[in-house]
């Protein structure tokens, strides 16, 4: 097989985004655009991937790490100039080179594979991936001759009125014979509306040198959207979101309303899990089978077992077991570990705490920095008092303990195995196992109190 290489253009600032964040780092469904591109390119079996970086080079390198090699484009003089920076890595190598823009996050490996195959079959020196756009404004247009062969690509800003009516656009993805590409690049000039070295000009140059130039039309325009501004970013997000939902549905996940369900590109969800509307699943979340998630829940970087129910709740960076019930209106904060069959109910906040199997905090509690054993019952209004204004302290509640309603557990403190804490207690000292702790003022009933109030008639 012909050796394959890839060049990813990621040096532009993205002025039209009007953002502090460099364009290719803007996330689509939680993943930076350039990472989407790299992930697809990685499926093509390429020998070398070169990312051309410039604006925000450090941040882009931080994102991509060792997934590719880098070429620095110090000044952004155009897309041809950008590809030229990859010359030290690629010039003179035999094989085909795919060039992709870092701002086309929806491009798929399947389409790039089809492009390469088309290129090989046509024995072309350059093949451009094109698409038919309803609104081609802003894109380079594909100018074909009467025989239907590609003549050149003309940028929107350089196009004549007539050329602007062409709806076939340049997607910014190409396949080149590697050696031909680097020869042609030396001939590109910047005599155009933007004073830039356009990569698109190599098409005309290769053609003039007698090389075959071909075009391959992408199955849909949607896949080739180039994100130059926030409007296109939202559009890309919408399309990617639908694509992700469709993939989960194909895998056997029920999504009641895909249009109001936001699932990150990295999430994995087991079959027969049902996702209700208004649910946002972010980061590298893993959800098992037969769960019910939502409505209106936000889950980020969580690992969730099977048959777990999460309704109207927020859970971040935590592990949640199987057969767990969470919510409505619960908040599981980072570094919590909730074992199987636990119930975290209405208005309960859990922070950096572990819950053993079968334990319950069903109503109105704050459990922070706590180690809760198995089969513990935390009554309504149980509070771990974990913070003295300076330091945080641990609360330990051992297996089978029963904490009554409205109990303050002043940390550091331990409630022993099988112990009871009476409702309304403020516990400052450890409670031994199997003991009953009562820490509240005794009730006093003052007889006939009401009758003795001045001006009050005896009834
Ligand atoms: C480019 C194409 C246009 C095509 C469109 C598809 C050219 C001249 N035009 O236009 O035909 O329809 O993409 O989306 O190629 N970049 C660099 N260095 C530079 C300039 C750009 O690395 O000096 C990178 C950008 O970061 C971006 C990509 O190249 O990822 C494309 O640049 P951009 O300015 O967005 O080009 P478009 O105007 O969209
Ligand atoms: Ca672009």
């Amino acid at each position: 097989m012909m050796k394959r290489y890839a060049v990813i253009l990621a040096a532009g600032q993205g002025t039209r985004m009007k953002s502090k964040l460099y364009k290719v780092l803007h996330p689509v469904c939680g993943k930076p655009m350039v990472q989407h591109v790299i992930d697809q390119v990685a499926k093509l079996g390429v020998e070398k991937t070169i990312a051309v970086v410039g604006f925000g080079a450090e941040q882009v390198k931080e994102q991509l790490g060792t997934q590719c090699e880098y070429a620095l484009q110090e000044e952004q003089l155009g897309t041809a100039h950008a590809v030229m920076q990859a010359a030290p890595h690629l010039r003179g190598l035999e094989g085909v080179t795919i060039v992709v823009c870092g701002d086309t996050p929806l491009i798929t490996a399947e389409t790039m594979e089809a492009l390469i195959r088309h290129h090989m079959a046509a024995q072309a020196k350059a093949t451009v991936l094109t698409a038919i756009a309803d609104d081609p404004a802003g894109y380079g247009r594909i100018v074909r001759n009467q025989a239907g062969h590609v003549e050149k690509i003309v940028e929107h800003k350089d196009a004549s009125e007539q050329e602007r009516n062409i709806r076939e656009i340049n997607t910014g993805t190409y396949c080149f014979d590697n050696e031909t590409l680097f020869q042609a690049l030396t001939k590109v000039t910047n005599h155009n509306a933007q004073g830039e070295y356009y990569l698109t000009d190599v098409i005309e140059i290769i053609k003039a040198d007698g090389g075959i130039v071909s075009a391959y039309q992408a199955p849909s325009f949607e896949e080739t959207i180039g994100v130059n501004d926030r409007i296109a970013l939202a559009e890309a997000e919408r399309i990617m979101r639908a694509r992700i939902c469709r993939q989960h549905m194909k895998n056997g996940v029920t999504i009641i309303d895909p249009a109001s369900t936001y699932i990150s590109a990295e999430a994995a969800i087991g079959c027969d899990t049902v996702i209700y509307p208004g649910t946002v699943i972010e980061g590298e979340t893993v959800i098992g089978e037969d769960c019910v998630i939502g409505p209106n829940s936000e889950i980020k970087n969580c690992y969730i077992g099977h048959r777990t129910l999460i309704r109207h709740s927020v859970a971040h960076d935590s592990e949640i077991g199987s057969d767990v019930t969470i919510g409505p209106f619960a908040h599981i904060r980072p570094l919590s570990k909730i074992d199987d069959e636990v119930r975290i109910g209405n208005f309960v906040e859990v922070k950096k705490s572990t819950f053993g199997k079968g334990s319950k905090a069903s109503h109105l509690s704050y459990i922070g920095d706590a180690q809760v054993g198995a089969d513990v019952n935390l009554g309504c209004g149980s509070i771990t008092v974990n913070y003295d204004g300076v330091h945080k302290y641990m609360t330990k509640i051992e297996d089978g303990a029963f904490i009554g309603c409205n109990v303050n557990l002043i940390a550091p403190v331990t409630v022993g195995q099988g112990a009871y804490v009476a409702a309304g207690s403020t516990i400052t000292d450890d409670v031994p196992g199997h003991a009953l702790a009562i820490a509240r003022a005794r009730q006093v009933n003052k007889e006939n109190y009401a009758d003795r109030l001045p001006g009050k008639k005896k009834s």
Side-chain angles (χ1 to χ4, degrees), residues 154-420:
V154 50
E155 287 306 292
H156 182 90
K157 285 186 179 153
D158 300 289
S160 66
E161 191 95 1
Q162 200 186 356
E163 286 165 336
R164 285 190 181 179
N165 289 330
I166 299 172
R167 284 176 51 223
E168 188 178 16
I169 59 108
N170 168 27
T171 65
T173 300
Y174 322 77
C175 184
F176 293 103
D177 168 69
N178 185 64
E179 286 163 285
T180 308
L181 169 64
F182 285 98
Q183 281 158 18
L185 281 171
T186 61
K187 300 182 187 167
V188 176
T189 65
N190 62 353
H191 306 144
N192 52 53
Q194 302 187 80
E196 284 185 6
Y197 294 89
Y198 290 162
L199 177 58
T200 44
D201 286 355
V202 300
I203 297 295
E204 222 178 334
I205 293 167
I206 291 171
K207 186 139 194 173
D209 286 348
I212 297 176
V213 167
S214 182
Y216 174 75
Q217 221 174 69
S220 78
F221 170 71
E222 287 204 333
E223 186 184 328
T224 66
I225 283 182
V227 175
N228 294 329
D229 57 25
R230 310 268 182 161
I231 296 162
L233 183 66
E235 188 69 359
E237 180 88 24
R238 179 185 67 76
I239 297 163
M240 182 70 81
R241 190 195 322 145
R243 188 189 281 178
I244 292 169
C245 283
R246 251 198 322 271
Q247 191 55 49
H248 287 297
M249 291 187 281
K250 278 187 185 163
N251 292 345
V253 176
T254 295
I255 298 178
I256 303 290
D257 180 19
S260 69
T261 304
Y262 304 77
I263 304 177
S264 90
E266 282 107 339
I269 306 174
C271 78
D272 289 321
T273 282
V274 180
I275 316 271
Y276 278 88
T279 295
V280 181
I281 297 171
E282 295 180 283
E284 294 183 14
T285 292
V286 177
I287 299 174
E289 298 182 4
D290 303 299
C291 292
V292 177
I293 310 291
N296 303 325
S297 293
E298 176 190 311
I299 296 170
K300 186 174 185 178
N301 297 326
C302 284
Y303 191 93
I304 299 169
H306 306 298
R307 300 172 299 280
T308 285
L309 245 73
I310 302 184
R311 293 159 58 217
H312 296 280
S313 293
V314 174
H316 282 197
D317 302 284
S318 291
E319 265 179 62
I320 297 167
S322 295
D323 303 294
V324 171
T325 307
I326 292 183
F329 312 109
H331 187 184
I332 311 297
R333 290 170 54 197
L335 305 178
S336 295
K337 198 161 180 283
I338 291 166
D339 207 339
D340 299 345
E341 296 168 36
V342 163
R343 171 168 170 73
I344 307 287
N346 314 259
F347 306 103
V348 173
E349 177 178 345
V350 174
K351 185 217 105 181
K352 206 178 174 183
S353 295
T354 59
F355 271 73
K357 190 174 172 190
S359 287
K360 294 185 179 71
S362 299
H363 332 267
L364 301 159
S365 282
Y366 170 64
I367 308 298
D369 302 305
Q371 210 178 309
V372 178
D375 297 314
V376 167
N377 198 333
L378 293 159
C380 174
S382 299
I383 306 287
T384 54
V385 184
N386 62 329
Y387 186 50
D388 62 6
V390 183
H391 296 110
K392 301 264 166 81
Y393 301 95
M394 288 287 300
T395 300
K396 196 169 174 208
I397 305 168
E398 294 180 352
D399 295 352
F402 184 99
I403 312 295
C405 290
N406 255 344
V407 164
N408 295 312
L409 298 163
I410 315 266
V413 73
T414 297
V415 177
Q417 196 178 335
Y420 284 74

Side-chain angles (χ1 to χ4, degrees), residues 16 23 101 103-104 226-228:
R16 292 165 279 181
K23 178 164 77 173
C101 296
D103 65 352
T104 52
V227 175
N228 294 329

